[in-house]
Amino acid sequence: MKRSLILLKSVRNQNSGQVCLICSTEGRGKSFLLSFRMTQAEIKLCSLLLCEHFGEIVEKIGTHLIRTGSQPLRMIAHDTGMSLDQVRKALCVLIQHNLVTYQLQKRGLVEYEAQCSRVLRILRYPRYIYTAKTLYSDTGELVVEELLLNGKMTMSTVVKKVADRLTETMEDGKTMDYSEVSSTFVRLADTHFIQRCPSAPESPEPSEAPPPPAPTLVLNEQEMYTVPRLNLVGKGKRRHSDNDDECEPKAKRQKPNTDSKEPPPDDGIYWQVNIDRFHQHFRDQVIISAVANRMDQTSSEIVRTMLRMSEVTTSSNAPYTQPLSSNEIFRSLPAGYNISKQILDQYLALLADDPLEFVGKSGESGGGMYVINLHKALASLATATLESIVQERFGSRCARIFRLLLRKKHLEQKQIEDFAMIPAKEAKEMMYKMLSCNIVSLQEIPKTPDHAPSRTFYLYAVNVLSSARLLLHRCYKSVANLIERRLHETKENRRLLEKSQRVEAILASMQATGAEEAQLQEVEEMITAPERQQLESLKHNVNKIDASENQVDETIFLLESYINSTVKH
């Protein structure tokens, strides 16, 4: 039997801007579309994020892998026109930060593949850090920040770095103990916000066979959140000033570096941030906020308790939480909520009877078994987001038609006019406007095989999933535009920013040496009043752009969660 030749081509859809892979089989005349899809907006946003955080060389390698898919080292170097050494270093950086994965092929070649979804998570780094600060104070914030900045780190290195940074911010004479940072690290691991990285398995006996081109990393799920027992004794150290260094002999300063030859006790056990766990926390907070807006604070606190009880036992992509009995929920309520068991049962019954079905009843044992329907909650929140966007973009009457289609599923033009109580001419204009933007879809149902217009039903409908994907694509474009605008603003005022930084550095050094007030004022006057006003305007614009990026990212998170939940469900 003659083997058919499969050809892979990279094509670009001109309408949607998607880069796809087409497989065509010679002799059969058939082609099919692979599941590899990447919109131009996503590629552009990934390129901007990589360039901003890692520089031009890493950005070039990362963007090339995103566009082309998996490739071996020499092909990457050939296609990008860069040296092998530069490509190796760039790939090391990307692998260290979990932005590129590698796989050993049958012929012994190692192929590298970019993780676009992981690159897009760089946009959410400030939110991860702020969440850690809210839950675990400044120590938790710095632990998560160090892990995000370095990709992978050992526990001992993280503890020492965080203790040193916290000691720098304390008053003279106060230091941060290693044990306090270690306890926060353990709490983060216990709640699954950080996890162990996959590691190479230890070989029992040294073999004479040559080592493989790339190690195979294995993740032990039982030890994923197990913290090694370390006896870290010590306190954070401050950076020595220049005066102290001048008084101290060189031999004395270099002596501590010669003694640290022994590897740390947790050598080889690396940790990383568990992004899925942070996303689970964000999802829970969105659901709690939605329940508080729809009902009241007590209902949201009951839902918060249910989510907290099942946050570790429920996976991040599960459609439901684990069933919880009314008695368990009552015992787990916060101490400040003095509500009786009877009132709790009434609240649970109200939540279960709500049309949105955030909470469902799954049994009668233990006073009633209840679950939180995560998939339906995300679907309701995504639909509400779509309704809000339609209203802001097309007006209240279009939003009325949109809600009508969501409720009735399929309607003809005449039915829309009657149900929405909108004149025929205006209703047609609104429907065609939303149809041209792919907010609504049109389905033809012919009565006869000839598809004659007079004998065909034309039904309008809303496909929430496709509308959510369309809106997600526009959100990616919006964030890319915001980043470009911020970079343009800083580039236009680069000289002024450098001058401001030099003046601030001079002032800091003069204050440290105890300069007089007149001297400080003279240095401050190096920046004129118009320049100061321009700096204030720049700061205001950059802060507004940063806030806009965070707001768009909240919409991106909600839409991504709904799309992933729907596809898996």
Side-chain angles (χ1 to χ4, degrees), residues 489-518:
E489 289 282 341
T490 52
K491 186 178 179 181
E492 287 291 311
N493 299 276
R494 182 179 296 172
R495 289 185 180 180
L496 185 58
L497 286 170
E498 290 174 354
K499 182 180 178 181
S500 174
Q501 290 172 357
R502 285 197 302 270
V503 170
E504 287 177 2
I506 294 169
L507 284 172
S509 63
M510 290 176 70
Q511 286 173 351
T513 55
E516 296 180 359
E517 191 67 29

PDB file of all heavy atoms in Angstrom, residues 489-518:
ATOM      1  N   GLU A 489       4.455  56.896  25.312  1.00  0.00           N
ATOM      2  CA  GLU A 489       4.483  58.007  26.269  1.00  0.00           C
ATOM      3  C   GLU A 489       5.837  58.097  26.973  1.00  0.00           C
ATOM      4  O   GLU A 489       6.401  59.185  27.119  1.00  0.00           O
ATOM      5  CB  GLU A 489       3.361  57.842  27.305  1.00  0.00           C
ATOM      6  CG  GLU A 489       1.958  58.062  26.779  1.00  0.00           C
ATOM      7  CD  GLU A 489       1.615  59.533  26.629  1.00  0.00           C
ATOM      8  OE1 GLU A 489       2.302  60.362  27.258  1.00  0.00           O
ATOM      9  OE2 GLU A 489       0.665  59.857  25.904  1.00  0.00           O
ATOM     10  N   THR A 490       6.350  56.953  27.424  1.00  0.00           N
ATOM     11  CA  THR A 490       7.641  56.955  28.136  1.00  0.00           C
ATOM     12  C   THR A 490       8.801  57.270  27.189  1.00  0.00           C
ATOM     13  O   THR A 490       9.777  57.910  27.586  1.00  0.00           O
ATOM     14  CB  THR A 490       7.872  55.602  28.812  1.00  0.00           C
ATOM     15  OG1 THR A 490       7.698  54.557  27.849  1.00  0.00           O
ATOM     16  CG2 THR A 490       6.891  55.394  29.950  1.00  0.00           C
ATOM     17  N   LYS A 491       8.696  56.820  25.931  1.00  0.00           N
ATOM     18  CA  LYS A 491       9.758  57.094  24.969  1.00  0.00           C
ATOM     19  C   LYS A 491       9.827  58.584  24.626  1.00  0.00           C
ATOM     20  O   LYS A 491      10.918  59.153  24.484  1.00  0.00           O
ATOM     21  CB  LYS A 491       9.532  56.269  23.695  1.00  0.00           C
ATOM     22  CG  LYS A 491      10.655  56.370  22.685  1.00  0.00           C
ATOM     23  CD  LYS A 491      10.388  55.499  21.469  1.00  0.00           C
ATOM     24  CE  LYS A 491      11.509  55.619  20.446  1.00  0.00           C
ATOM     25  NZ  LYS A 491      11.238  54.786  19.241  1.00  0.00           N
ATOM     26  N   GLU A 492       8.665  59.220  24.485  1.00  0.00           N
ATOM     27  CA  GLU A 492       8.623  60.641  24.149  1.00  0.00           C
ATOM     28  C   GLU A 492       9.221  61.509  25.262  1.00  0.00           C
ATOM     29  O   GLU A 492       9.764  62.579  25.004  1.00  0.00           O
ATOM     30  CB  GLU A 492       7.174  61.070  23.887  1.00  0.00           C
ATOM     31  CG  GLU A 492       6.600  60.568  22.567  1.00  0.00           C
ATOM     32  CD  GLU A 492       7.250  61.244  21.372  1.00  0.00           C
ATOM     33  OE1 GLU A 492       7.343  62.487  21.366  1.00  0.00           O
ATOM     34  OE2 GLU A 492       7.687  60.523  20.451  1.00  0.00           O
ATOM     35  N   ASN A 493       9.098  61.040  26.509  1.00  0.00           N
ATOM     36  CA  ASN A 493       9.580  61.827  27.656  1.00  0.00           C
ATOM     37  C   ASN A 493      10.788  61.156  28.324  1.00  0.00           C
ATOM     38  O   ASN A 493      10.990  61.309  29.527  1.00  0.00           O
ATOM     39  CB  ASN A 493       8.448  61.991  28.679  1.00  0.00           C
ATOM     40  CG  ASN A 493       7.254  62.726  28.115  1.00  0.00           C
ATOM     41  OD1 ASN A 493       7.204  63.951  28.080  1.00  0.00           O
ATOM     42  ND2 ASN A 493       6.250  61.966  27.661  1.00  0.00           N
ATOM     43  N   ARG A 494      11.580  60.442  27.545  1.00  0.00           N
ATOM     44  CA  ARG A 494      12.702  59.699  28.128  1.00  0.00           C
ATOM     45  C   ARG A 494      13.735  60.626  28.759  1.00  0.00           C
ATOM     46  O   ARG A 494      14.201  60.380  29.883  1.00  0.00           O
ATOM     47  CB  ARG A 494      13.356  58.831  27.049  1.00  0.00           C
ATOM     48  CG  ARG A 494      14.515  57.991  27.574  1.00  0.00           C
ATOM     49  CD  ARG A 494      15.111  57.144  26.473  1.00  0.00           C
ATOM     50  NE  ARG A 494      14.153  56.163  25.982  1.00  0.00           N
ATOM     51  CZ  ARG A 494      14.363  55.391  24.924  1.00  0.00           C
ATOM     52  NH1 ARG A 494      15.501  55.507  24.242  1.00  0.00           N
ATOM     53  NH2 ARG A 494      13.458  54.518  24.538  1.00  0.00           N
ATOM     54  N   ARG A 495      14.087  61.691  28.065  1.00  0.00           N
ATOM     55  CA  ARG A 495      15.115  62.602  28.609  1.00  0.00           C
ATOM     56  C   ARG A 495      14.653  63.233  29.910  1.00  0.00           C
ATOM     57  O   ARG A 495      15.429  63.361  30.873  1.00  0.00           O
ATOM     58  CB  ARG A 495      15.423  63.691  27.581  1.00  0.00           C
ATOM     59  CG  ARG A 495      16.185  63.190  26.369  1.00  0.00           C
ATOM     60  CD  ARG A 495      16.566  64.329  25.440  1.00  0.00           C
ATOM     61  NE  ARG A 495      17.311  63.862  24.270  1.00  0.00           N
ATOM     62  CZ  ARG A 495      17.750  64.647  23.308  1.00  0.00           C
ATOM     63  NH1 ARG A 495      17.519  65.959  23.362  1.00  0.00           N
ATOM     64  NH2 ARG A 495      18.422  64.146  22.289  1.00  0.00           N
ATOM     65  N   LEU A 496      13.398  63.626  29.960  1.00  0.00           N
ATOM     66  CA  LEU A 496      12.867  64.234  31.186  1.00  0.00           C
ATOM     67  C   LEU A 496      12.842  63.228  32.332  1.00  0.00           C
ATOM     68  O   LEU A 496      13.171  63.561  33.481  1.00  0.00           O
ATOM     69  CB  LEU A 496      11.463  64.779  30.920  1.00  0.00           C
ATOM     70  CG  LEU A 496      10.791  65.552  32.059  1.00  0.00           C
ATOM     71  CD1 LEU A 496      11.640  66.748  32.465  1.00  0.00           C
ATOM     72  CD2 LEU A 496       9.407  66.015  31.633  1.00  0.00           C
ATOM     73  N   LEU A 497      12.495  61.990  32.041  1.00  0.00           N
ATOM     74  CA  LEU A 497      12.480  60.957  33.079  1.00  0.00           C
ATOM     75  C   LEU A 497      13.887  60.669  33.593  1.00  0.00           C
ATOM     76  O   LEU A 497      14.092  60.516  34.805  1.00  0.00           O
ATOM     77  CB  LEU A 497      11.865  59.670  32.513  1.00  0.00           C
ATOM     78  CG  LEU A 497      10.346  59.662  32.308  1.00  0.00           C
ATOM     79  CD1 LEU A 497       9.929  58.427  31.524  1.00  0.00           C
ATOM     80  CD2 LEU A 497       9.621  59.703  33.639  1.00  0.00           C
ATOM     81  N   GLU A 498      14.875  60.616  32.690  1.00  0.00           N
ATOM     82  CA  GLU A 498      16.260  60.392  33.123  1.00  0.00           C
ATOM     83  C   GLU A 498      16.760  61.539  33.991  1.00  0.00           C
ATOM     84  O   GLU A 498      17.459  61.320  34.988  1.00  0.00           O
ATOM     85  CB  GLU A 498      17.155  60.216  31.896  1.00  0.00           C
ATOM     86  CG  GLU A 498      16.909  58.915  31.137  1.00  0.00           C
ATOM     87  CD  GLU A 498      17.715  58.834  29.853  1.00  0.00           C
ATOM     88  OE1 GLU A 498      18.380  59.848  29.507  1.00  0.00           O
ATOM     89  OE2 GLU A 498      17.680  57.776  29.195  1.00  0.00           O
ATOM     90  N   LYS A 499      16.397  62.771  33.615  1.00  0.00           N
ATOM     91  CA  LYS A 499      16.796  63.928  34.414  1.00  0.00           C
ATOM     92  C   LYS A 499      16.167  63.870  35.797  1.00  0.00           C
ATOM     93  O   LYS A 499      16.838  64.143  36.813  1.00  0.00           O
ATOM     94  CB  LYS A 499      16.376  65.211  33.696  1.00  0.00           C
ATOM     95  CG  LYS A 499      16.783  66.477  34.422  1.00  0.00           C
ATOM     96  CD  LYS A 499      16.339  67.717  33.650  1.00  0.00           C
ATOM     97  CE  LYS A 499      16.712  68.996  34.408  1.00  0.00           C
ATOM     98  NZ  LYS A 499      16.254  70.211  33.685  1.00  0.00           N
ATOM     99  N   SER A 500      14.902  63.497  35.861  1.00  0.00           N
ATOM    100  CA  SER A 500      14.210  63.388  37.150  1.00  0.00           C
ATOM    101  C   SER A 500      14.848  62.326  38.032  1.00  0.00           C
ATOM    102  O   SER A 500      15.020  62.528  39.238  1.00  0.00           O
ATOM    103  CB  SER A 500      12.734  63.067  36.907  1.00  0.00           C
ATOM    104  OG  SER A 500      12.067  62.814  38.112  1.00  0.00           O
ATOM    105  N   GLN A 501      15.244  61.203  37.432  1.00  0.00           N
ATOM    106  CA  GLN A 501      15.888  60.136  38.202  1.00  0.00           C
ATOM    107  C   GLN A 501      17.251  60.575  38.729  1.00  0.00           C
ATOM    108  O   GLN A 501      17.621  60.260  39.870  1.00  0.00           O
ATOM    109  CB  GLN A 501      16.025  58.887  37.334  1.00  0.00           C
ATOM    110  CG  GLN A 501      14.701  58.199  37.039  1.00  0.00           C
ATOM    111  CD  GLN A 501      14.838  57.088  36.028  1.00  0.00           C
ATOM    112  OE1 GLN A 501      15.923  56.858  35.493  1.00  0.00           O
ATOM    113  NE2 GLN A 501      13.741  56.395  35.734  1.00  0.00           N
ATOM    114  N   ARG A 502      17.999  61.328  37.912  1.00  0.00           N
ATOM    115  CA  ARG A 502      19.311  61.818  38.374  1.00  0.00           C
ATOM    116  C   ARG A 502      19.151  62.779  39.545  1.00  0.00           C
ATOM    117  O   ARG A 502      19.905  62.703  40.530  1.00  0.00           O
ATOM    118  CB  ARG A 502      20.038  62.521  37.215  1.00  0.00           C
ATOM    119  CG  ARG A 502      20.613  61.587  36.167  1.00  0.00           C
ATOM    120  CD  ARG A 502      21.655  62.300  35.307  1.00  0.00           C
ATOM    121  NE  ARG A 502      21.096  63.465  34.638  1.00  0.00           N
ATOM    122  CZ  ARG A 502      20.525  63.455  33.442  1.00  0.00           C
ATOM    123  NH1 ARG A 502      20.438  62.308  32.770  1.00  0.00           N
ATOM    124  NH2 ARG A 502      20.059  64.560  32.897  1.00  0.00           N
ATOM    125  N   VAL A 503      18.165  63.662  39.460  1.00  0.00           N
ATOM    126  CA  VAL A 503      17.936  64.625  40.546  1.00  0.00           C
ATOM    127  C   VAL A 503      17.519  63.902  41.819  1.00  0.00           C
ATOM    128  O   VAL A 503      17.989  64.226  42.926  1.00  0.00           O
ATOM    129  CB  VAL A 503      16.868  65.657  40.117  1.00  0.00           C
ATOM    130  CG1 VAL A 503      16.428  66.505  41.309  1.00  0.00           C
ATOM    131  CG2 VAL A 503      17.401  66.550  39.001  1.00  0.00           C
ATOM    132  N   GLU A 504      16.655  62.890  41.697  1.00  0.00           N
ATOM    133  CA  GLU A 504      16.227  62.136  42.877  1.00  0.00           C
ATOM    134  C   GLU A 504      17.406  61.392  43.501  1.00  0.00           C
ATOM    135  O   GLU A 504      17.506  61.311  44.738  1.00  0.00           O
ATOM    136  CB  GLU A 504      15.128  61.148  42.485  1.00  0.00           C
ATOM    137  CG  GLU A 504      13.785  61.824  42.197  1.00  0.00           C
ATOM    138  CD  GLU A 504      12.736  60.833  41.729  1.00  0.00           C
ATOM    139  OE1 GLU A 504      13.063  59.623  41.672  1.00  0.00           O
ATOM    140  OE2 GLU A 504      11.608  61.256  41.430  1.00  0.00           O
ATOM    141  N   ALA A 505      18.300  60.856  42.682  1.00  0.00           N
ATOM    142  CA  ALA A 505      19.476  60.152  43.215  1.00  0.00           C
ATOM    143  C   ALA A 505      20.403  61.114  43.952  1.00  0.00           C
ATOM    144  O   ALA A 505      20.934  60.789  45.033  1.00  0.00           O
ATOM    145  CB  ALA A 505      20.216  59.460  42.070  1.00  0.00           C
ATOM    146  N   ILE A 506      20.584  62.321  43.385  1.00  0.00           N
ATOM    147  CA  ILE A 506      21.437  63.325  44.050  1.00  0.00           C
ATOM    148  C   ILE A 506      20.828  63.733  45.384  1.00  0.00           C
ATOM    149  O   ILE A 506      21.522  63.848  46.405  1.00  0.00           O
ATOM    150  CB  ILE A 506      21.632  64.556  43.133  1.00  0.00           C
ATOM    151  CG1 ILE A 506      22.441  64.162  41.889  1.00  0.00           C
ATOM    152  CG2 ILE A 506      22.323  65.691  43.871  1.00  0.00           C
ATOM    153  CD1 ILE A 506      22.453  65.227  40.805  1.00  0.00           C
ATOM    154  N   LEU A 507      19.511  63.937  45.397  1.00  0.00           N
ATOM    155  CA  LEU A 507      18.828  64.330  46.643  1.00  0.00           C
ATOM    156  C   LEU A 507      18.950  63.241  47.702  1.00  0.00           C
ATOM    157  O   LEU A 507      19.187  63.536  48.890  1.00  0.00           O
ATOM    158  CB  LEU A 507      17.354  64.621  46.357  1.00  0.00           C
ATOM    159  CG  LEU A 507      17.019  65.941  45.668  1.00  0.00           C
ATOM    160  CD1 LEU A 507      15.557  65.993  45.268  1.00  0.00           C
ATOM    161  CD2 LEU A 507      17.338  67.121  46.598  1.00  0.00           C
ATOM    162  N   ALA A 508      18.816  61.997  47.301  1.00  0.00           N
ATOM    163  CA  ALA A 508      18.903  60.894  48.261  1.00  0.00           C
ATOM    164  C   ALA A 508      20.297  60.811  48.867  1.00  0.00           C
ATOM    165  O   ALA A 508      20.450  60.624  50.082  1.00  0.00           O
ATOM    166  CB  ALA A 508      18.540  59.580  47.569  1.00  0.00           C
ATOM    167  N   SER A 509      21.328  60.977  48.030  1.00  0.00           N
ATOM    168  CA  SER A 509      22.696  60.911  48.556  1.00  0.00           C
ATOM    169  C   SER A 509      23.008  62.098  49.467  1.00  0.00           C
ATOM    170  O   SER A 509      23.696  61.951  50.484  1.00  0.00           O
ATOM    171  CB  SER A 509      23.697  60.850  47.404  1.00  0.00           C
ATOM    172  OG  SER A 509      23.617  62.036  46.618  1.00  0.00           O
ATOM    173  N   MET A 510      22.459  63.289  49.109  1.00  0.00           N
ATOM    174  CA  MET A 510      22.701  64.466  49.950  1.00  0.00           C
ATOM    175  C   MET A 510      21.971  64.352  51.286  1.00  0.00           C
ATOM    176  O   MET A 510      22.495  64.758  52.334  1.00  0.00           O
ATOM    177  CB  MET A 510      22.248  65.730  49.208  1.00  0.00           C
ATOM    178  CG  MET A 510      23.140  66.093  48.022  1.00  0.00           C
ATOM    179  SD  MET A 510      22.525  67.512  47.104  1.00  0.00           S
ATOM    180  CE  MET A 510      22.813  68.828  48.286  1.00  0.00           C
ATOM    181  N   GLN A 511      20.765  63.797  51.280  1.00  0.00           N
ATOM    182  CA  GLN A 511      20.035  63.616  52.534  1.00  0.00           C
ATOM    183  C   GLN A 511      20.734  62.606  53.427  1.00  0.00           C
ATOM    184  O   GLN A 511      20.746  62.743  54.659  1.00  0.00           O
ATOM    185  CB  GLN A 511      18.608  63.154  52.243  1.00  0.00           C
ATOM    186  CG  GLN A 511      17.706  64.262  51.693  1.00  0.00           C
ATOM    187  CD  GLN A 511      16.349  63.736  51.250  1.00  0.00           C
ATOM    188  OE1 GLN A 511      16.130  62.532  51.195  1.00  0.00           O
ATOM    189  NE2 GLN A 511      15.448  64.645  50.910  1.00  0.00           N
ATOM    190  N   ALA A 512      21.339  61.584  52.814  1.00  0.00           N
ATOM    191  CA  ALA A 512      22.055  60.576  53.601  1.00  0.00           C
ATOM    192  C   ALA A 512      23.290  61.157  54.272  1.00  0.00           C
ATOM    193  O   ALA A 512      23.674  60.731  55.376  1.00  0.00           O
ATOM    194  CB  ALA A 512      22.449  59.396  52.712  1.00  0.00           C
ATOM    195  N   THR A 513      23.919  62.146  53.614  1.00  0.00           N
ATOM    196  CA  THR A 513      25.117  62.769  54.190  1.00  0.00           C
ATOM    197  C   THR A 513      24.791  63.963  55.081  1.00  0.00           C
ATOM    198  O   THR A 513      25.697  64.610  55.606  1.00  0.00           O
ATOM    199  CB  THR A 513      26.054  63.224  53.066  1.00  0.00           C
ATOM    200  OG1 THR A 513      25.331  64.093  52.160  1.00  0.00           O
ATOM    201  CG2 THR A 513      26.591  62.032  52.290  1.00  0.00           C
ATOM    202  N   GLY A 514      23.483  64.284  55.229  1.00  0.00           N
ATOM    203  CA  GLY A 514      23.072  65.377  56.118  1.00  0.00           C
ATOM    204  C   GLY A 514      23.273  66.760  55.536  1.00  0.00           C
ATOM    205  O   GLY A 514      23.784  67.661  56.213  1.00  0.00           O
ATOM    206  N   ALA A 515      22.882  66.946  54.291  1.00  0.00           N
ATOM    207  CA  ALA A 515      23.028  68.263  53.648  1.00  0.00           C
ATOM    208  C   ALA A 515      22.005  69.249  54.203  1.00  0.00           C
ATOM    209  O   ALA A 515      20.977  68.868  54.776  1.00  0.00           O
ATOM    210  CB  ALA A 515      22.848  68.114  52.134  1.00  0.00           C
ATOM    211  N   GLU A 516      22.275  70.538  54.028  1.00  0.00           N
ATOM    212  CA  GLU A 516      21.385  71.583  54.529  1.00  0.00           C
ATOM    213  C   GLU A 516      20.167  71.726  53.616  1.00  0.00           C
ATOM    214  O   GLU A 516      20.162  71.323  52.462  1.00  0.00           O
ATOM    215  CB  GLU A 516      22.140  72.916  54.598  1.00  0.00           C
ATOM    216  CG  GLU A 516      23.294  72.902  55.585  1.00  0.00           C
ATOM    217  CD  GLU A 516      24.021  74.238  55.614  1.00  0.00           C
ATOM    218  OE1 GLU A 516      23.602  75.136  54.844  1.00  0.00           O
ATOM    219  OE2 GLU A 516      24.975  74.375  56.390  1.00  0.00           O
ATOM    220  N   GLU A 517      19.123  72.385  54.175  1.00  0.00           N
ATOM    221  CA  GLU A 517      17.867  72.540  53.445  1.00  0.00           C
ATOM    222  C   GLU A 517      18.048  73.414  52.204  1.00  0.00           C
ATOM    223  O   GLU A 517      17.431  73.165  51.164  1.00  0.00           O
ATOM    224  CB  GLU A 517      16.815  73.167  54.379  1.00  0.00           C
ATOM    225  CG  GLU A 517      15.399  73.153  53.827  1.00  0.00           C
ATOM    226  CD  GLU A 517      14.837  71.754  53.704  1.00  0.00           C
ATOM    227  OE1 GLU A 517      15.236  70.874  54.486  1.00  0.00           O
ATOM    228  OE2 GLU A 517      14.007  71.537  52.795  1.00  0.00           O
ATOM    229  N   ALA A 518      18.883  74.414  52.283  1.00  0.00           N
ATOM    230  CA  ALA A 518      19.103  75.306  51.136  1.00  0.00           C
ATOM    231  C   ALA A 518      19.760  74.563  49.978  1.00  0.00           C
ATOM    232  O   ALA A 518      19.422  74.776  48.806  1.00  0.00           O
ATOM    233  CB  ALA A 518      19.977  76.489  51.562  1.00  0.00           C
TER     234      ALA A 518
END
